[in-house]
């Protein structure tokens, strides 16, 4: 609900005149502009105080109904979040926009890789062989755990073609699109899901920001690693992008500072920061094949 809508709703719900102290400074400004443009409410000076009075309650009610066709309480509890937003705000992306679940898309090749929640098990290698990948619907409150490492890659190319993986990799390879979702981070922090989580992002501001977010969210019983692609220093100099560096430089520098404050700034991160700033370049994952 907008700032103005919240203030008007408070006026409608009250049987008495409300003073300015009832509202925030931003709400008071919105109410004053609304009063001047519509003449549906009145701003009254009473000594040192200011009070607000509705002139036409039905008009204010109709105005709010145009903005918010349905009341939140009148909608079914199991309605999808964005459908609820359309009903109450006329826009799917206004209000709460996060979903109650997300999906972990994975591959595995070692037959010993298992996800287990105490009641069911998922054999990821079998699903990968038969269907190309496995998917796990995740939401808070679950007890899913795996007995092997979880390696996260940012770009689909590395999920589609997996010949870059070390021969001894024996865990689950999972794909995320650009940004790790808040729900996924909460899920990883809710309980220990695996012994080791490995993040392989682009070597740019977005990638390092995701590493910081993951480091902050991960359950303390899980170890977090950063995937350093072979010969990454020379690849950064030879194949790095100045455009991506400029677009994400502030995020990159902020992430380096946060890693330092968390005592997570390893020698490799220091080297990455120095080389990226010196050459003004960022490196994308796909350079692993070059």
């Amino acid at each position: 609900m907008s700032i103005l809508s919240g203030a008007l709703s408070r006026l409608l719900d009250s049987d008495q005149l409300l003073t300015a102290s009832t509202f925030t400074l931003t709400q008071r400004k919105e109410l004053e502009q609304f009063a001047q443009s519509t003449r549906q409410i009145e701003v009254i000076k009473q000594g040192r105080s200011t009070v607000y009075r509705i002139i036409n309650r039905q008009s204010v009610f109709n105005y709010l109904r145009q903005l918010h066709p349905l009341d939140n309480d009148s909608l079914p509890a199991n309605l999808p979040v964005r459908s609820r937003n359309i009903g109450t705000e006329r826009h799917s992306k206004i209000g709460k926009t996060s979903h109650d679940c997300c999906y972990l898309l994975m591959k595995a090749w070692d037959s010993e890789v298992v996800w287990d929640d105490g009641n069911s098990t998922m054999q990821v290698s079998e699903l990968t062989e038969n269907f190309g990948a496995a998917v796990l619907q995740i939401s808070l409150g679950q007890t899913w755990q795996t007995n092997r490492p979880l390696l996260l890659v940012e770009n689909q190319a590395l999920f589609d073609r997996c010949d870059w993986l070390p021969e001894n990799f024996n865990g689950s390879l999972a794909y995320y699109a650009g940004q790790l979702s808040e729900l996924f981070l909460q899920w990883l922090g809710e309980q220990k899901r695996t012994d080791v989580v490995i993040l392989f992002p682009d070597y740019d501001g977005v990638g390092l920001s995701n590493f910081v977010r993951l480091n902050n969210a991960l359950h303390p019983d899980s170890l977090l690693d950063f995937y350093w692609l072979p010969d990454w220093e020379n690849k950064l100099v030879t194949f790095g992008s100045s455009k991506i560096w400029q677009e994400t430089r502030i995020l990159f520098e902020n992430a380096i500072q946060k890693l330092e404050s968390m005592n997570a700034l390893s020698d490799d991160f220091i080297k990455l920061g120095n080389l990226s700033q010196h050459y003004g370049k960022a490196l994308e994952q796909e350079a692993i094949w070059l």
Side-chain angles (χ1 to χ4, degrees):
M1 182 173 288
S2 69
I3 294 172
L4 176 60
S5 296
L8 292 176
S9 295
R10 183 173 293 181
L11 284 174
L12 284 173
D13 291 340
S14 177
D15 296 328
Q16 301 176 343
L17 299 182
L18 296 180
T19 64
S21 61
T22 308
F23 304 97
T24 66
L25 177 61
T26 306
Q27 286 178 322
R28 294 198 293 269
K29 291 180 179 179
E30 292 282 344
L31 287 173
E32 290 169 4
Q33 291 177 2
F34 182 76
Q36 293 173 2
S37 61
T38 67
R39 307 298 180 186
Q40 293 179 8
I41 65 172
E42 186 177 10
V43 183
I44 306 171
K45 300 292 184 180
Q46 291 186 347
R48 295 183 178 180
S49 300
T50 300
V51 296
Y52 301 92
R53 181 177 72 87
I54 294 179
I55 297 174
N56 188 325
R57 297 184 68 87
Q58 187 60 50
S59 294
V60 173
F61 177 83
N62 291 341
Y63 176 83
L64 280 177
R65 185 57 71 209
Q66 288 179 356
L67 296 178
H68 313 284
L70 298 174
D71 294 325
N72 193 56
D73 293 340
S74 68
L75 296 172
N78 62 349
L79 197 67
V81 171
R82 293 196 174 184
S83 294
R84 181 179 299 275
N85 290 345
I86 292 173
T88 59
E89 306 288 347
R90 295 182 181 270
H91 198 302
S92 68
K93 296 179 179 63
I94 295 178
K96 179 185 175 184
T97 58
S98 60
H99 298 287
D100 295 327
C101 67
C102 61
Y103 298 89
L104 185 61
L105 187 62
M106 298 178 287
K107 291 181 178 181
W109 298 268
D110 190 314
S111 61
E112 300 299 320
V113 176
V114 174
W115 283 82
D116 184 281
D117 71 347
N119 297 309
S120 304
T121 59
M122 174 187 284
Q123 302 287 343
V124 183
S125 63
E126 181 178 340
L127 292 170
T128 301
E129 182 178 357
N130 291 334
F131 304 105
V135 62
L136 180 65
Q137 184 188 65
I138 61 177
S139 57
L140 298 181
Q142 294 176 331
T143 57
W144 285 107
Q145 291 182 315
T146 183
N147 59 340
R148 295 293 176 81
L150 177 63
L151 172 56
L152 303 167
V153 291
E154 181 177 345
N155 296 324
Q156 185 176 331
L158 279 81
F159 187 74
D160 292 339
R161 176 177 164 179
C162 306
D163 56 356
W164 58 271
L165 280 167
E167 291 185 5
N168 62 349
F169 179 71
N170 62 353
S172 298
L173 176 69
Y175 163 68
Y176 69 99
Q179 289 284 0
L180 295 168
S181 76
E182 287 298 327
L183 176 58
F184 180 57
L185 291 175
Q186 292 177 41
W187 184 80
L188 286 174
E190 188 178 35
Q191 69 169 70
K192 179 183 177 182
R193 304 294 179 183
T194 176
D195 287 335
V196 181
V197 175
I198 308 163
L199 185 70
F200 183 10
D202 288 334
Y203 292 11
D204 63 3
V206 175
L208 261 67
S209 296
N210 273 305
F211 185 77
V212 171
R213 295 171 63 223
L214 186 53
N215 192 39
N216 286 331
L218 192 62
H219 192 276
D221 290 339
S222 294
L223 176 69
L224 176 61
D225 278 341
F226 190 92
Y227 189 93
W228 297 99
L229 60 89
D231 197 29
W232 66 266
E233 300 97 326
N234 289 326
K235 286 184 170 65
L236 174 67
V237 175
T238 306
F239 305 113
S241 167
S242 299
K243 183 175 185 295
I244 295 175
W245 167 253
Q246 290 297 327
E247 291 172 345
T248 68
R249 179 181 61 82
I250 294 177
L251 286 175
F252 185 97
E253 293 174 350
N254 289 341
I256 290 292
Q257 291 178 0
K258 289 177 181 178
L259 288 173
E260 184 175 14
S261 68
M262 295 185 295
N263 295 319
L265 192 62
S266 67
D267 290 342
D268 280 321
F269 281 124
I270 293 174
K271 186 186 296 184
L272 174 61
N274 290 336
L275 286 174
S276 295
Q277 290 175 334
H278 178 76
Y279 290 99
K281 293 181 178 181
L283 185 66
E284 295 178 277
Q285 285 179 320
E286 290 87 349
I288 198 167
W289 285 297
L290 298 175

